Amino acid sequence: MSPILEVDGLTVVFDTDEGVVHAVSDVSYDLQVGETLGVVGESGSGKSVHVLAMLGLVPMPPGRIVSGSVRFDGKELLGLNRRDLRAIRGRDIGFIFQDPMTSLNPVLSIGRQMTEGLEQHLGMSHGQALRRAAELIDLVKIPQPERRLRQYPHELSGGMRQRVMIAMALACEPKLLIADEPTTALDVTIQAEIIALVNDLKERLGTAIIWITHDLGVVAGIADTVQVMYAGRLLERGPIDAVFEDPRSAYTLGLLRSLPQAAGTGLVPIEGAPPDLRHLPEGDPFAPRNPYATPRCHRETPPLRQADASVDGHLVAAWYDLRQIDAPGPPK
Amino acid sequence: MSGYFAGRLLESLVAILGVLTIVFIAARLTGDPAVLLLPISATDADIARMRQELGLDRPLLEQYLAFLADVLRGDFGVSFEHHRPAMQVVLERLPATFELAGVALLIGAAVGIAAGLVAALARGTVLELIAMGVALIGQATPIFWLGIVLILVFAVELQWLPAGGRGGLDHIILPAITLATFTTASIARLLRSSMIEVLKEDYIRTAWAKGLVPRIVYLRHAARNALIPVITMIGILAGELFSGAVVTETIFSWPGVGRVVVQAIETKDFAVVQAGVTVISVIFIGFNLLVDLLYGLVDPRIRIAS
């Protein structure tokens, strides 16, 4: 199976008045056809910026791609002219954003917003596009599709709006769906419905998905592969079970321990705060908060490489070895 | 929608009643009409007879109700100057005012919207600087000064266009430009800032993410939202333009409502002043009503909320 997306050494910065913000540093990974990748990290980890930047959806300036290569379906995306990039956006790569209220245009009907991509990318007539839009609304399990097409975003509930966003993103049957915190703005019950819906659609359409979230719990419910980002870097990546059962990055371990557990041991927060992206520390960016950090962690940046004695493709960027530390229990 | 419309219509009627009341009170405050109407040599007996004739000896409330009854019949009294019904004098001038206002508004909306869009989309370029510099000057220039300069340059020096009066197409050019300058500048500046704000919205990022061409993103997705505040402003400006541009009409001897009211004030022709102020108010309030209704067409959220 060949990868649909190959990211190699992607580095993105923002030139601001207060200095250069290192948003994404040397990120590399492959995404296979039909694979669902969960990208986890907190605000400012570069998890959203790195995908937005590769498709030219970050304002440049101030944003700037310093180096790297991103190949989508064999075609280099970085440096692509706007026209060719537009032909890919919405056609081969669909997007879902965080807040479906602000991400849908308030003054355009659902029908208009659903059909315009179909008309532009697939050359459908408005009538054809409307019929297709009704099918898509039905696909995301919203009742009365024809009526919905005449409605406006404010007439729908939050969950329904996000379903419309999903239908819109899937309209042209993209090869890749990028979902940027699609459930963060929704109630927990609606979240579960959306995740179930995407899982169902994934099976049926075979679309590859990049699901960006700060919530490891959500990732567990949807992803095949998970990668953890921190301060613009990839700290750990691997098959979902391997990473959850045998985390090798202290940051991943910290994230897992800060999840609510069934048998009420209480939440264990990660001490400290993420680094200032304008003045990144030497070495491993997580080292200042890492109780297991070795002297080397503060000097040299660890490369992302195969974790010892774990499944193939379980990668970690760490000089320390988490297996030699007496888990479980909160780090002292 | 019909409930919303009925509510707004009722509000407008109340506003017009308020204007009529102020007109009535103002007319009573500016001096005894009987004294003003009669020659200086009139005796007290003459004045008393005149007061009785005009109904000024009756209680104020009775006078007020009689005034409203007259207004409902369209009777605003007779112009002393023109010896015809005052309302007729005012209404005769309406086409001239509407013609000038219509042309000025068209210029203002077309040029203003174009300039505002260009300035917003050409952010940080010389083009934006020029467009906004001109707009700022246009908004700050006093109308009477601009009108006089235009007359001096194009009518007196170059003799390309007539200096005043109403006639062929050439007569309307200078007053329309004078009147449109402020409107154009206001619309351009508001649309630019509104557009810049809208372009930062999440739904614009969605539109780009859908791979839509810039024309559709800017015009369909951004401009439609950015125009909402601009429509309000156009409505307010239209109300001002169509209710008679006093200064412009006076400078260019344009025979409109604004000019006839000013003339009536000078000659103390109160019936015409009352009729003129009433017509101006009704037009102004009518335009505000129209804007609120147009709003619903552009912004579906208002359509439903009502």
Side-chain angles (χ1 to χ4, degrees):
Chain A
M1 197 180 264
S2 65
I4 184 81
L5 187 73
E6 300 156 89
V7 183
D8 188 17
L10 183 64
T11 299
V12 183
V13 299
F14 286 86
D15 298 309
T16 69
D17 292 340
E18 289 85 31
V20 177
V21 175
H22 299 271
V24 179
S25 303
D26 195 21
V27 166
S28 305
Y29 62 89
D30 286 354
L31 179 74
Q32 305 300 320
V33 172
E35 181 184 2
T36 299
L37 168 68
V39 181
V40 183
E42 50 201 298
S43 304
S45 62
K47 60 187 192 298
S48 298
V49 170
H50 93 275
V51 285
L52 293 175
M54 63 174 85
L55 285 152
L57 292 173
V58 164
M60 300 188 194
R64 182 159 55 89
I65 293 174
V66 177
S67 58
S69 148
V70 177
R71 295 177 74 80
F72 172 75
D73 211 9
K75 190 191 232 173
E76 177 63 47
L77 292 183
L78 303 187
L80 207 59
N81 69 50
R82 289 177 193 195
R83 179 186 297 266
D84 291 343
L85 212 48
R86 276 203 304 272
I88 292 173
R89 295 199 292 236
R91 169 73 188 85
D92 296 318
I93 301 181
F95 277 88
I96 311 171
F97 293 107
Q98 177 171 344
D99 186 345
M101 183 71 243
T102 59
S103 298
L104 288 169
N105 195 320
V107 303
L108 299 178
S109 68
I110 301 296
R112 168 61 74 192
Q113 297 187 62
M114 295 250 353
T115 52
E116 53 190 3
L118 292 165
E119 289 165 24
Q120 181 172 323
H121 292 301
L122 306 183
M124 288 186 182
S125 70
H126 190 60
Q128 283 175 314
L130 271 176
R131 278 192 294 280
R132 172 81 181 126
E135 287 169 23
L136 287 159
I137 297 278
D138 188 54
L139 182 76
V140 295
K141 302 186 175 110
I142 297 179
Q144 300 176 281
E146 278 80 12
R147 183 168 152 245
R148 302 302 172 191
L149 292 179
R150 287 191 300 273
Q151 289 184 313
Y152 289 85
H154 69 273
E155 296 174 73
L156 306 180
S157 68
M160 242 190 249
R161 277 182 221 134
Q162 196 60 298
R163 285 166 192 265
V164 167
M165 279 295 287
I166 293 171
M168 220 160 77
L170 294 175
C172 299
E173 297 180 350
K175 295 169 185 151
L176 170 60
L177 178 69
I178 295 175
D180 188 1
E181 303 241 17
T183 57
T184 305
L186 303 174
D187 292 344
V188 180
T189 48
I190 309 290
Q191 257 186 38
E193 284 173 29
I194 295 288
I195 290 167
L197 173 70
V198 172
N199 270 327
D200 177 42
L201 293 176
K202 178 174 74 174
E203 306 264 303
R204 276 205 262 171
L205 306 176
T207 312
I209 299 175
I210 296 181
W211 189 282
I212 298 161
T213 178
H214 63 268
D215 188 342
L216 270 177
V218 169
V219 166
I222 202 156
D224 307 314
T225 310
V226 61
Q227 62 191 29
V228 178
M229 288 186 73
Y230 184 80
R233 287 188 177 277
L234 266 182
L235 291 191
E236 182 161 11
R237 169 189 160 90
I240 185 108
D241 294 340
V243 173
F244 270 68
E245 280 159 25
D246 183 24
R248 295 301 181 86
S249 162
Y251 180 59
T252 313
L253 179 66
L255 285 179
L256 286 168
R257 284 188 183 169
S258 63
L259 280 180
Q261 303 292 328
T265 44
L267 306 182
V268 185
I270 303 173
E271 298 294 333
D276 184 343
L277 293 174
R278 287 165 298 181
H279 312 286
L280 285 174
E282 287 275 297
D284 182 343
F286 188 61
R289 297 170 76 183
N290 182 4
Y292 317 119
T294 64
R296 195 180 182 186
C297 296
H298 294 280
R299 289 195 314 267
E300 277 178 73
T301 309
L304 188 68
R305 57 185 178 184
Q306 175 67 38
D308 287 340
S310 184
V311 297
D312 199 29
H314 185 178
L315 314 177
V316 67
W319 293 124
Y320 52 87
D321 189 347
L322 218 50
R323 288 172 302 167
Q324 290 169 7
I325 289 134
D326 306 324
K332 290 290 180 292
Chain B
M1 189 68 194
S2 60
Y4 172 68
F5 180 75
R8 286 294 294 116
L9 196 65
L10 192 71
E11 277 174 43
S12 302
L13 290 175
V14 170
I16 289 170
L17 183 68
V19 169
L20 287 172
T21 308
I22 292 168
V23 164
F24 171 79
I25 293 168
R28 295 316 177 267
L29 286 178
T30 46
D32 190 337
V35 176
L36 293 169
L37 286 171
L38 291 168
I40 295 174
S41 58
T43 62
D44 283 356
D46 290 335
I47 292 173
R49 200 176 326 113
M50 189 65 167
R51 287 178 63 86
Q52 203 180 353
E53 230 172 77
L54 292 172
L56 295 172
D57 55 337
R58 282 178 291 168
L60 210 57
L61 186 68
E62 205 181 311
Q63 287 185 45
Y64 177 62
L65 293 174
F67 167 72
L68 288 185
D70 284 345
V71 166
L72 277 180
R73 283 196 305 270
D75 180 3
F76 280 80
V78 173
S79 160
F80 311 130
E81 192 70 20
H82 302 269
H83 309 290
R84 285 182 293 134
M87 191 45 100
Q88 192 188 333
V89 172
V90 172
L91 291 180
E92 274 172 9
R93 303 298 191 96
L94 218 49
T97 286
F98 276 23
E99 182 184 303
L100 179 57
V103 173
L105 189 67
L106 233 89
I107 296 175
V111 179
I113 287 174
L117 282 179
V118 166
L121 298 183
R123 269 212 96 183
T125 66
V126 183
L127 205 58
E128 186 200 14
L129 213 67
I130 294 171
M132 284 306 105
V134 171
L136 189 65
I137 294 169
Q139 211 173 12
T141 306
I143 280 191
F144 71 88
W145 183 86
L146 180 66
I148 290 166
V149 167
L150 286 177
I151 289 174
L152 276 176
V153 174
F154 293 99
V156 178
E157 285 299 319
L158 298 171
Q159 303 206 341
W160 288 352
L161 296 164
R166 186 178 176 217
L169 200 65
D170 53 342
H171 283 81
I172 205 168
I173 296 176
L174 290 184
I177 289 175
T178 305
L179 197 54
T181 300
F182 181 82
T183 312
T184 309
S186 311
I187 291 172
R189 297 187 66 206
L190 180 65
L191 181 59
R192 172 188 162 272
S193 58
S194 167
M195 189 78 178
I196 287 170
E197 282 311 303
V198 165
L199 286 173
K200 293 178 195 156
E201 294 285 347
D202 284 351
Y203 54 78
I204 298 300
R205 184 180 60 181
T206 306
W208 289 124
K210 276 155 65 173
L212 301 176
V213 295
R215 182 175 52 83
I216 289 186
V217 176
Y218 289 134
L219 296 184
R220 186 186 291 166
H221 285 260
R224 244 189 112 143
N225 283 283
L227 276 172
I228 292 173
V230 175
I231 286 175
T232 314
M233 186 186 244
I234 289 179
I236 293 167
L237 291 169
E240 284 173 14
L241 293 179
F242 280 85
S243 51
V246 174
V247 176
T248 308
E249 287 182 359
T250 305
I251 295 172
F252 290 96
S253 310
W254 190 263
V257 174
R259 186 145 170 266
V260 85
V261 170
V262 171
Q263 284 170 338
I265 291 170
E266 282 166 1
T267 58
K268 296 206 165 69
D269 194 348
F270 286 105
V272 172
V273 175
Q274 281 190 1
V277 170
T278 307
V279 166
I280 287 172
S281 310
V282 169
I283 294 171
F284 192 83
I285 290 164
F287 268 95
N288 278 290
L289 180 64
L290 194 69
V291 170
D292 284 347
L293 299 178
L294 275 181
Y295 234 39
L297 287 182
V298 184
D299 192 340
R301 286 165 294 186
I302 292 173
R303 221 180 296 161
I304 304 302
S306 54

